[in-house]
Structure formats: structure tokens, C-alpha cells
Amino acid sequence: MLEEVKLFVAENADQVEQFRIRFMARKGLISELFDQFKEVPPSDRRELGLLINELKVSTQEKLDYFKNLFEQSEKATGETIDLTLPAGFREPGTRHPLSIVRSEMIRIFSRLGFTVNDGPEIEDDWHNFSALNFPPEHPARDMQDTFFIAKDPDIALRTHTSSVQVRVMETTKPPIRAIFPGRVYRNEAISARAHCFFHQIEGLYIDHDVSFADLKQTLLYFAREMFSVDTQIRLRPSYFPFTEPSAEMDISCNLCGGKGCGFCKYTGWVEILGCGMVDPNVLENCGIDSKEYTGFAFGIGIERITNLRFQVKDLRMFSENDLRFLRQFEGAF
Ligand SMILES: [Zn+2]
């Protein structure tokens, strides 16, 4: 009996009551033992008496423990738990189209050995402008074009992720092969074609003997991985303060395949990015010997690539959180 009491476990209040009746009731096992005790010879009484007492104490302890346990849980819930009740439903979210495209762009450049670097969105004049060869009178330095947080010394919301390129060049010895995804800010009136913030992935490759041919091959690889294997590219001469020579790159229209359609304004080409060879002044500004090293850089708007991929006509849709728009990308990967 002592063994049975020690092993007893109750799963509910009813089982506790059954246990109490079996051992502690007026006609239960323990009172029966006390009745039989009168017939035990005096020589055995002491030993048996101790055992019966131990049984009584153990039984009471078990009863107290389980009674207390079930009373507590009843008080806490106030009612019995209905496990069949359906739980509240939380709809799973979807990836934002810009995140989908950014991840894909990062994957493509990762395959070429580019690492990913991040930097602050609030920048000083040196990292956003001066180190990148922006002359003092450049329009980007104007309040009309850039969100300044402080003047003299100038602190602004970065206008491109090139500021991260500067930070990496200042702290890393070439070879450098990195991309810089991030949000950038410009003081633009918000419309279907322009926004005060957008996203870029810039890239930088600096090593011995890096040539314009390397730049072209890297961007051709990107365009074909991003769009299709038969995508053509063309480079048009352009100007940026931080690259020389500079170019803008078009790809053959991914809708009509270059034949000409409304989307490409019947030219067969659509512009996707700016690029060029890093200006030697920029390398020197960042402590890299421009006689020993050369490099190329490029900057791609993630919104631009997303528009080409999904034909989103209005830039504002990316930041309006309209579920009717966002749900269309549920299956996109
Ligand atoms: Zn077209």
C-alpha cells in the first residue's frame, strides 16, 4: 500500500477523490488497518505501528498536493479549456517586389565574387560629395536637390550609396570587389516617375589592370542573368563626377526583344544603369594609389529593374502599402 501511495499520480480532481475514498474514508484501507492492529501481538506492534503511521502521513501529503494543484488551475482559468476552439488566424505576409528584385541582384553579383557592404543613410559632405570629386558648385550640393540635416559642416541624407564605396575604399586594401545595396534620398517632387527616396545597388571592383572590358563583361553577365540569355547591351558616353570615362547602359527591350514597342518608345532599348572607370582623383582621395590600381563602378536603381521585370507603371505604388498591389507578388520569387 505504501508503494501504491508513493507512485500515485492524479490527472484530475475526480481521481484525487477516488484516491481519498480508497485510503482515507471511514471504511477505507487505513481505518481497516487500524481495526486489524488490535489483533497484532504486542511484540510486533511497534514496527507495524510505525509503518501504518507512515502510510497515513504519505497519503495525506499526496491528497494535499493534488487537491491544491487542481484548485489552483481552476482558479487561474476560471473555466475548463476547450482545445477544439479554432485559434485566431494571422495571414502570412508576402515579400515586397523591391526585396524580391534586390535579393536576385545580390545573388547574381555574389556568383561573380562580389561581397555586400552596408553604410549609414545620414552622411557627411566628405563621404557623399567631396571624396567623390563633386565640385563645390555641383547642383546635387544644392538644398533644392538634397535633404540637408545640418549646414557647415554639411550633414545630409545620402543621395547615393557611393558614400559606402568611399568608406570601403578608405578602410580596405585592394583587391576590392563589393556591392552596396541601400536606400537613398533626393529632394524630388513625388510623381509616378520620381520619388524622394528610392533604392540602389552600386558596385565597385578595384584591382591591378581592371579595364573597361571587365566592366562591360560584368554588366553583360548581370543583364543576361537578370533578364534573359539573349539580352543585348549598349553603352552610351555620359558624365559623372566620380568616373572617367563614364557611360549609361541600355538593354534590348525585354518586352519586345528589341523590335520596338510602346514600352521602349519604339527604340528597342531601355536604359538601366550608369557606370564608368573610377576617377583617379577618387582613388587618391580614398588613399588608393591610382598608378598601381584601376577600377570600375556602377549604380543600378532597384526600382528601375523592378519596373522592367514586373511592368510597374507608377513608382508610388512601391511605398503605398496597398495590399491589392502587394498581393500580386505572392508567387514571385
Ligand atoms: Zn520594346
Side-chain angles (χ1 to χ4, degrees), residues 101 104-105 108-109 111 218-233 249-257 263 269-273 300-312:
V101 170
E104 190 169 343
M105 292 169 76
I108 292 169
F109 285 110
R111 289 203 286 274
T218 302
L219 295 178
L220 176 66
Y221 175 81
F222 166 72
R224 292 192 165 167
E225 289 291 301
M226 194 72 216
F227 296 102
S228 67
V229 286
D230 46 14
T231 300
Q232 301 295 317
I233 62 167
M249 188 175 101
D250 301 335
I251 57 165
S252 50
C253 175
N254 62 319
L255 279 194
C256 64
F263 185 70
W269 297 96
V270 284
E271 186 190 324
I272 66 161
L273 60 85
I300 311 172
I302 299 178
E303 275 83 350
R304 179 76 185 144
I305 301 296
T306 310
N307 285 349
L308 292 174
R309 174 55 80 79
F310 298 121
Q311 281 84 51
V312 179

Side-chain angles (χ1 to χ4, degrees), residues 29-314:
L29 288 171
I30 290 174
S31 83
E32 210 173 282
L33 283 175
F34 274 114
D35 285 345
Q36 290 167 5
F37 189 68
K38 291 166 196 153
E39 288 148 39
V40 172
S43 56
D44 295 336
R45 280 193 176 181
R46 192 184 136 76
E47 201 188 335
L48 266 172
L50 283 172
L51 276 173
I52 296 173
N53 214 43
E54 193 190 336
L55 178 69
K56 200 180 163 184
V57 171
S58 303
T59 308
Q60 192 60 52
E61 276 173 5
K62 278 271 166 159
L63 271 176
D64 291 346
Y65 174 78
F66 281 109
K67 262 189 176 169
N68 192 32
L69 187 75
F70 291 118
E71 272 167 20
Q72 291 269 322
S73 68
E74 214 167 289
K75 256 186 227 161
T77 58
E79 57 189 276
T80 47
I81 302 164
D82 179 3
L83 295 174
T84 64
L85 196 67
F89 180 66
R90 208 174 251 228
E91 235 178 310
T94 61
R95 294 174 75 209
H96 192 278
L98 293 176
S99 302
I100 294 168
V101 170
R102 181 188 55 200
S103 303
E104 190 169 343
M105 292 169 76
I106 290 173
R107 275 202 297 274
I108 292 169
F109 285 110
S110 299
R111 289 203 286 274
L112 291 172
F114 283 81
T115 56
V116 178
N117 281 77
D118 202 1
E121 292 184 18
I122 297 172
E123 267 298 5
D124 53 33
D125 176 273
W126 172 256
H127 291 97
N128 197 72
F129 296 122
S130 296
L132 291 159
N133 226 15
F134 278 79
E137 71 282 3
H138 193 280
R141 290 175 179 265
D142 198 296
M143 300 282 278
Q144 300 290 313
D145 292 313
T146 300
F147 293 111
F148 283 93
I149 286 172
K151 275 291 204 182
D152 299 318
D154 290 353
I155 304 288
L157 296 181
R158 69 180 178 193
T159 58
H160 43 200
T161 54
S162 309
S163 52
V164 192
Q165 297 198 33
V166 174
R167 288 178 179 277
V168 169
M169 283 189 279
E170 282 174 337
T171 53
T172 316
K173 193 179 162 8
I176 297 169
R177 186 158 37 178
I179 53 170
F180 316 92
R183 181 176 293 176
V184 301
Y185 303 84
R186 292 185 193 174
N187 192 2
E188 301 254 10
I190 296 170
S191 71
R193 298 176 65 84
H195 211 295
C196 59
F197 67 83
F198 58 97
H199 301 80
Q200 283 190 319
I201 290 188
E202 292 194 4
L204 177 69
Y205 179 32
I206 298 174
D207 203 347
H208 295 287
D209 305 320
V210 175
S211 72
F212 203 89
D214 297 320
L215 166 65
K216 203 172 169 183
Q217 182 59 36
T218 302
L219 295 178
L220 176 66
Y221 175 81
F222 166 72
R224 292 192 165 167
E225 289 291 301
M226 194 72 216
F227 296 102
S228 67
V229 286
D230 46 14
T231 300
Q232 301 295 317
I233 62 167
R234 75 173 182 190
L235 292 158
R236 288 177 286 105
S238 185
Y239 170 78
F240 303 110
F242 34 81
T243 46
E244 179 59 38
S246 305
E248 277 175 272
M249 188 175 101
D250 301 335
I251 57 165
S252 50
C253 175
N254 62 319
L255 279 194
C256 64
K259 289 187 196 74
C261 68
F263 185 70
C264 58
K265 300 192 186 80
Y266 300 95
T267 62
W269 297 96
V270 284
E271 186 190 324
I272 66 161
L273 60 85
C275 59
M277 300 305 290
V278 181
D279 192 300
N281 284 345
V282 174
L283 293 175
E284 296 292 338
N285 285 343
C286 300
I288 292 172
D289 185 349
S290 63
K291 286 180 188 70
E292 190 178 350
Y293 293 104
T294 52
F296 67 71
F298 55 85
I300 311 172
I302 299 178
E303 275 83 350
R304 179 76 185 144
I305 301 296
T306 310
N307 285 349
L308 292 174
R309 174 55 80 79
F310 298 121
Q311 281 84 51
V312 179
K313 294 278 189 300
D314 190 329

